[in-house]
Amino acid sequence: MPIFWALLKTRLAISPRLATSIVENIVHELRFANMRYEGVIAIKSTCIPGTTQRLIDIYDDKIVFVPEFLKERSANYDFVYAHDLLCIGSDNVNHAYVVQRSHGDYPVEVMRVSPTEAELVKYMHNSFGAFRFTFANEYFEL
């Protein structure tokens, strides 16, 4: 089964609704518009928790959320070498397995959770990174 990787730049801090609409439009285009794509859609973009489940409810369960854990300053290195965890947000074991197989032998650990839980994992990862950055800056000012 083919996979479409949706890696879209979303700016939730600027406009959460606008950022989510970008992902929603891509899914709609793939499923209904001209493409009629029937494979798995793997969303990697940061979304408001609950977005993937809402899309599943509207379209089908071939939509999964797969957060990436890249740091801005070392994104290229992280993409190539950081394969400690593959988190797959899907309630469908078969679709999760398709995503897992596409990663080959790279992930050290694979975790399948609900789509909303996977979105929350991504949110927490982003929030913790922002906290560390802010904490370091505040400490520097002392």
Side-chain angles (χ1 to χ4, degrees), residues 3 5 83 85-86 88 96-110:
I3 299 176
W5 294 96
H83 302 287
L85 173 65
L86 172 60
I88 305 170
Y97 183 67
V98 168
V99 172
Q100 181 179 345
R101 273 194 7 236
S102 74
H103 283 78
D105 297 329
Y106 284 120
V108 173
E109 183 177 348
V110 177

Short mmCIF file of all heavy atoms in Angstrom, two decimals, residues 3 5 83 85-86 88 96-110:
data_model
loop_
_atom_site.label_atom_id
_atom_site.label_comp_id
_atom_site.label_asym_id
_atom_site.label_seq_id
_atom_site.Cartn_x
_atom_site.Cartn_y
_atom_site.Cartn_z
N ILE A 3 2.16 5.23 0.48
CA ILE A 3 2.05 6.23 1.55
C ILE A 3 2.31 7.61 0.95
O ILE A 3 3.28 7.79 0.20
CB ILE A 3 3.07 5.99 2.66
CG1 ILE A 3 2.87 4.64 3.32
CG2 ILE A 3 2.97 7.10 3.72
CD1 ILE A 3 3.93 4.32 4.36
N TRP A 5 3.37 11.17 2.26
CA TRP A 5 3.89 11.84 3.44
C TRP A 5 3.54 13.32 3.37
O TRP A 5 4.04 14.03 2.50
CB TRP A 5 5.40 11.65 3.55
CG TRP A 5 5.78 10.24 3.79
CD1 TRP A 5 6.15 9.32 2.85
CD2 TRP A 5 5.79 9.56 5.04
NE1 TRP A 5 6.40 8.11 3.45
CE2 TRP A 5 6.18 8.24 4.80
CE3 TRP A 5 5.50 9.95 6.35
CZ2 TRP A 5 6.30 7.30 5.81
CZ3 TRP A 5 5.61 9.02 7.36
CH2 TRP A 5 6.00 7.72 7.09
N HIS A 83 17.12 7.95 14.98
CA HIS A 83 16.04 7.00 14.74
C HIS A 83 15.71 6.22 16.01
O HIS A 83 15.50 5.01 15.98
CB HIS A 83 16.42 6.02 13.63
CG HIS A 83 16.76 6.70 12.35
ND1 HIS A 83 15.81 7.28 11.54
CD2 HIS A 83 17.95 6.93 11.73
CE1 HIS A 83 16.39 7.82 10.48
NE2 HIS A 83 17.69 7.61 10.57
N LEU A 85 13.04 6.65 18.10
CA LEU A 85 11.63 6.37 18.31
C LEU A 85 10.81 6.67 17.06
O LEU A 85 10.96 7.72 16.44
CB LEU A 85 11.08 7.22 19.47
CG LEU A 85 9.57 7.16 19.71
CD1 LEU A 85 9.15 5.76 20.14
CD2 LEU A 85 9.17 8.19 20.75
N LEU A 86 9.96 5.73 16.71
CA LEU A 86 8.96 5.94 15.67
C LEU A 86 7.61 5.86 16.35
O LEU A 86 7.21 4.81 16.85
CB LEU A 86 9.07 4.88 14.57
CG LEU A 86 7.95 4.87 13.52
CD1 LEU A 86 7.90 6.21 12.78
CD2 LEU A 86 8.14 3.72 12.56
N ILE A 88 3.66 6.18 15.93
CA ILE A 88 2.64 6.11 14.87
C ILE A 88 1.27 6.28 15.50
O ILE A 88 0.86 5.47 16.33
CB ILE A 88 2.71 4.77 14.12
CG1 ILE A 88 4.11 4.54 13.57
CG2 ILE A 88 1.67 4.74 13.01
CD1 ILE A 88 4.33 3.13 13.03
N ALA A 96 -0.66 1.21 10.49
CA ALA A 96 0.53 1.50 11.28
C ALA A 96 1.70 0.63 10.81
O ALA A 96 2.85 1.09 10.73
CB ALA A 96 0.25 1.27 12.77
N TYR A 97 1.42 -0.60 10.47
CA TYR A 97 2.46 -1.51 10.01
C TYR A 97 3.04 -1.04 8.66
O TYR A 97 4.25 -1.14 8.43
CB TYR A 97 1.93 -2.93 9.90
CG TYR A 97 2.99 -3.93 9.50
CD1 TYR A 97 4.06 -4.23 10.35
CD2 TYR A 97 2.95 -4.55 8.26
CE1 TYR A 97 5.05 -5.12 9.98
CE2 TYR A 97 3.94 -5.45 7.88
CZ TYR A 97 4.98 -5.73 8.74
OH TYR A 97 5.96 -6.61 8.37
N VAL A 98 2.19 -0.51 7.79
CA VAL A 98 2.66 0.02 6.51
C VAL A 98 3.66 1.15 6.76
O VAL A 98 4.72 1.21 6.13
CB VAL A 98 1.47 0.51 5.64
CG1 VAL A 98 1.96 1.32 4.45
CG2 VAL A 98 0.62 -0.65 5.19
N VAL A 99 3.33 2.03 7.69
CA VAL A 99 4.24 3.14 8.04
C VAL A 99 5.53 2.59 8.65
O VAL A 99 6.63 3.03 8.29
CB VAL A 99 3.55 4.12 9.01
CG1 VAL A 99 4.54 5.16 9.53
CG2 VAL A 99 2.38 4.81 8.33
N GLN A 100 5.41 1.64 9.54
CA GLN A 100 6.59 1.06 10.18
C GLN A 100 7.50 0.41 9.14
O GLN A 100 8.71 0.60 9.17
CB GLN A 100 6.17 0.03 11.23
CG GLN A 100 7.33 -0.59 11.96
CD GLN A 100 6.89 -1.59 13.02
OE1 GLN A 100 5.73 -1.63 13.41
NE2 GLN A 100 7.82 -2.41 13.47
N ARG A 101 6.93 -0.35 8.21
CA ARG A 101 7.73 -1.00 7.16
C ARG A 101 8.45 0.02 6.30
O ARG A 101 9.57 -0.22 5.83
CB ARG A 101 6.84 -1.88 6.29
CG ARG A 101 6.66 -3.25 6.83
CD ARG A 101 6.06 -4.24 5.83
NE ARG A 101 5.91 -3.78 4.49
CZ ARG A 101 4.76 -3.76 3.81
NH1 ARG A 101 3.66 -4.18 4.37
NH2 ARG A 101 4.71 -3.33 2.57
N SER A 102 7.82 1.17 6.07
CA SER A 102 8.45 2.19 5.22
C SER A 102 9.71 2.76 5.85
O SER A 102 10.54 3.33 5.16
CB SER A 102 7.46 3.32 4.92
OG SER A 102 7.28 4.15 6.04
N HIS A 103 9.87 2.61 7.17
CA HIS A 103 11.06 3.10 7.86
C HIS A 103 12.18 2.06 7.91
O HIS A 103 13.26 2.34 8.42
CB HIS A 103 10.70 3.54 9.29
CG HIS A 103 10.01 4.86 9.34
ND1 HIS A 103 8.69 5.01 9.03
CD2 HIS A 103 10.47 6.09 9.65
CE1 HIS A 103 8.36 6.27 9.15
NE2 HIS A 103 9.41 6.95 9.52
N GLY A 104 11.91 0.88 7.42
CA GLY A 104 12.94 -0.16 7.40
C GLY A 104 13.39 -0.56 8.79
O GLY A 104 12.59 -0.65 9.71
N ASP A 105 14.70 -0.77 8.95
CA ASP A 105 15.26 -1.21 10.22
C ASP A 105 15.70 -0.05 11.11
O ASP A 105 16.30 -0.27 12.15
CB ASP A 105 16.47 -2.12 9.97
CG ASP A 105 16.08 -3.39 9.24
OD1 ASP A 105 14.94 -3.85 9.44
OD2 ASP A 105 16.91 -3.91 8.47
N TYR A 106 15.42 1.18 10.68
CA TYR A 106 15.95 2.33 11.41
C TYR A 106 15.38 2.54 12.81
O TYR A 106 16.14 2.75 13.74
CB TYR A 106 15.76 3.62 10.61
CG TYR A 106 16.75 3.74 9.48
CD1 TYR A 106 16.32 3.83 8.18
CD2 TYR A 106 18.11 3.75 9.73
CE1 TYR A 106 17.23 3.93 7.14
CE2 TYR A 106 19.03 3.84 8.70
CZ TYR A 106 18.57 3.93 7.40
OH TYR A 106 19.47 4.04 6.39
N PRO A 107 14.09 2.52 13.01
CA PRO A 107 13.64 2.87 14.36
C PRO A 107 14.09 1.85 15.40
O PRO A 107 13.94 0.64 15.21
CB PRO A 107 12.12 2.90 14.26
CG PRO A 107 11.76 2.47 12.90
CD PRO A 107 13.00 2.24 12.12
N VAL A 108 14.65 2.36 16.50
CA VAL A 108 15.06 1.50 17.60
C VAL A 108 13.81 1.00 18.32
O VAL A 108 13.71 -0.16 18.67
CB VAL A 108 15.98 2.27 18.57
CG1 VAL A 108 16.29 1.45 19.80
CG2 VAL A 108 17.25 2.69 17.85
N GLU A 109 12.86 1.92 18.53
CA GLU A 109 11.62 1.57 19.22
C GLU A 109 10.44 2.10 18.42
O GLU A 109 10.47 3.21 17.90
CB GLU A 109 11.61 2.19 20.63
CG GLU A 109 10.40 1.81 21.44
CD GLU A 109 10.46 2.39 22.85
OE1 GLU A 109 11.51 2.89 23.26
OE2 GLU A 109 9.43 2.33 23.51
N VAL A 110 9.40 1.29 18.32
CA VAL A 110 8.17 1.68 17.63
C VAL A 110 7.04 1.71 18.64
O VAL A 110 6.88 0.78 19.43
CB VAL A 110 7.83 0.70 16.48
CG1 VAL A 110 6.53 1.09 15.81
CG2 VAL A 110 8.97 0.66 15.47
#
